[in-house]
Amino acid sequence: MEDQPSSSSSRLKTAVLDAPLHSIGFEYEDLSPQKVSGRLLVTQKCCQPFKVLHGGVSALIAESLASMGAHMASGYKRVAGIQLSINHLKRAEMGDLVHAEATPLNVGRTIQVFPISLFPFMLCLFQFICSSFKMMLNHNKHNMKYTIS
């Protein structure tokens, strides 16, 4: 699979915004309240022993992109995830270039929902590797109560 050349500004942007994603080689492309996207070249750093993308890496990407989008969509308020659901539909193998994209489904006053898709870079959007949903809660110090169960 032919990959696009990586830009140093994209690498730097990821290094500054998200150290865990940067450490596995992920690079942010679009950063806005309407869309957060990026790409990852599947390497040994992010593979299972079977040379396929580790499911935990898919979750890390989904969590990071949705959190970044929710933070921007909330007007840069503190947000926290309350639910993350991952469905792995196809595998990505070592050497594949994976595109990830999070777009808001609902941006409410307190709850936001972001679907996240991972798919092969050169193929169509409907050939998902992973499909995820993340629900975010906007923190407001005046109406938030924390309970530990």
Side-chain angles (χ1 to χ4, degrees):
M1 179 175 289
E2 184 180 320
D3 60 311
Q4 292 184 335
S6 168
S7 75
S8 60
S9 67
S10 181
R11 283 191 302 272
L12 179 60
K13 186 185 328 180
T14 306
V16 169
L17 295 174
D18 200 319
L21 283 185
H22 176 70
S23 71
I24 60 168
F26 187 87
E27 294 181 21
Y28 280 108
E29 294 171 336
D30 297 308
L31 282 169
S32 76
Q34 295 79 33
K35 178 177 159 183
V36 180
S37 69
R39 64 178 176 259
L40 174 72
L41 179 62
V42 180
T43 65
Q44 188 66 38
K45 286 183 180 182
C46 53
C47 278
Q48 296 179 1
F50 308 110
K51 300 191 185 317
V52 297
L53 182 64
H54 193 288
V57 172
S58 301
L60 174 65
I61 292 170
E63 174 81 22
S64 297
L65 269 63
S67 294
M68 186 70 67
H71 178 62
M72 289 185 287
S74 71
Y76 298 95
K77 294 177 185 168
R78 184 171 179 243
V79 297
I82 58 174
Q83 193 265 339
L84 176 65
S85 174
I86 306 278
N87 296 297
H88 293 99
L89 307 172
K90 289 184 178 267
R91 67 177 183 243
E93 297 178 351
M94 185 130 44
D96 287 349
L97 185 62
V98 174
H99 182 77
E101 184 174 298
T103 54
L105 179 64
N106 178 63
V107 179
R109 201 169 43 86
T110 56
I111 300 287
Q112 299 181 28
V113 179
F114 276 75
I116 306 99
S117 299
L118 277 69
F119 48 93
F121 195 76
M122 300 302 282
L123 299 176
C124 78
L125 178 66
F126 299 106
Q127 294 191 2
F128 296 118
I129 292 169
C130 173
S131 176
S132 312
F133 281 92
K134 171 134 186 184
M135 204 174 298
M136 308 296 295
L137 180 65
N138 290 338
H139 282 259
N140 180 336
K141 64 182 177 183
H142 302 294
N143 68 4
M144 285 298 301
K145 293 181 182 175
Y146 295 94
T147 58
I148 300 173
S149 49

